[in-house]
Amino acid sequence: MSETGFWTHPLVETAGYFSVVVLCLIVSMAIFEVITKYKNWEEIKKGNVAVAMATGGKIFGVTNIFRFSIEQHNTLLQMIGWGLYGFTLLIFAYVLFEFLTPKFNVDDEIEKDNRSVGFISLTISVGLSYVVGASIS
């Protein structure tokens, strides 16, 4: 097998995409940890279902955007660039969600295990990941 053949083998490409997306997911979760007022993993460890739903929605949203990015782009750099752009849009959506709910604070409600707010947060992340993903070209 030639050198270029190795790097273009489907198993190697899949491992490469997987590794890069997992790394990007770790970075994105660290950024979300800074953005939210609560500590995601501490709250999940305590059994906070609202935080688990919101966090799960973020994980699904980020990975779904990368899924679309992998499908639409031929190079790893393009995939990363569009995936990170989509992630930035998800952060914007999270801030917008907080702004559009002036009657209560989203972070405070999720930290208090308000599962309705956690579920809406999950739904926004998942739903918008499809919109962002479909627009990646």
Side-chain angles (χ1 to χ4, degrees):
M1 185 183 297
S2 69
E3 252 186 72
T4 57
F6 175 77
W7 293 112
T8 58
H9 190 278
L11 292 175
V12 175
E13 283 185 333
T14 300
Y17 283 129
F18 175 81
S19 301
V20 169
V21 170
V22 167
L23 180 62
C24 290
L25 180 61
I26 290 168
V27 169
S28 67
M29 294 312 298
I31 292 170
F32 274 125
E33 187 81 22
V34 170
I35 291 172
T36 56
K37 295 177 184 173
Y38 50 86
K39 299 295 177 204
N40 293 304
W41 303 110
E42 289 177 21
E43 290 296 320
I44 290 170
K45 185 178 178 183
K46 291 192 283 185
N48 187 324
V49 176
V51 171
M53 286 191 289
T55 302
K58 293 169 191 168
I59 292 169
F60 185 99
V62 169
T63 56
N64 194 38
I65 287 172
F66 275 101
R67 168 198 162 291
F68 280 100
S69 188
I70 289 168
E71 286 180 341
Q72 296 296 322
H73 297 95
N74 295 329
T75 70
L76 197 59
L77 285 177
Q78 284 180 332
M79 183 274 294
I80 293 169
W82 280 102
L84 292 176
Y85 178 69
F87 166 68
T88 303
L89 292 175
L90 275 186
I91 290 177
F92 176 73
Y94 182 81
V95 171
L96 190 61
F97 177 38
E98 186 75 66
F99 177 75
L100 293 175
T101 53
K103 297 202 182 250
F104 62 89
N105 182 288
V106 172
D107 273 355
D108 290 344
E109 292 301 314
I110 291 175
E111 186 175 21
K112 289 189 261 182
D113 201 13
N114 183 331
R115 295 172 189 183
S116 298
V117 177
F119 182 73
I120 292 297
S121 178
L122 177 148
T123 306
I124 288 171
S125 294
V126 169
L128 289 179
S129 76
Y130 280 99
V131 173
V132 171
S135 68
I136 290 176
S137 59

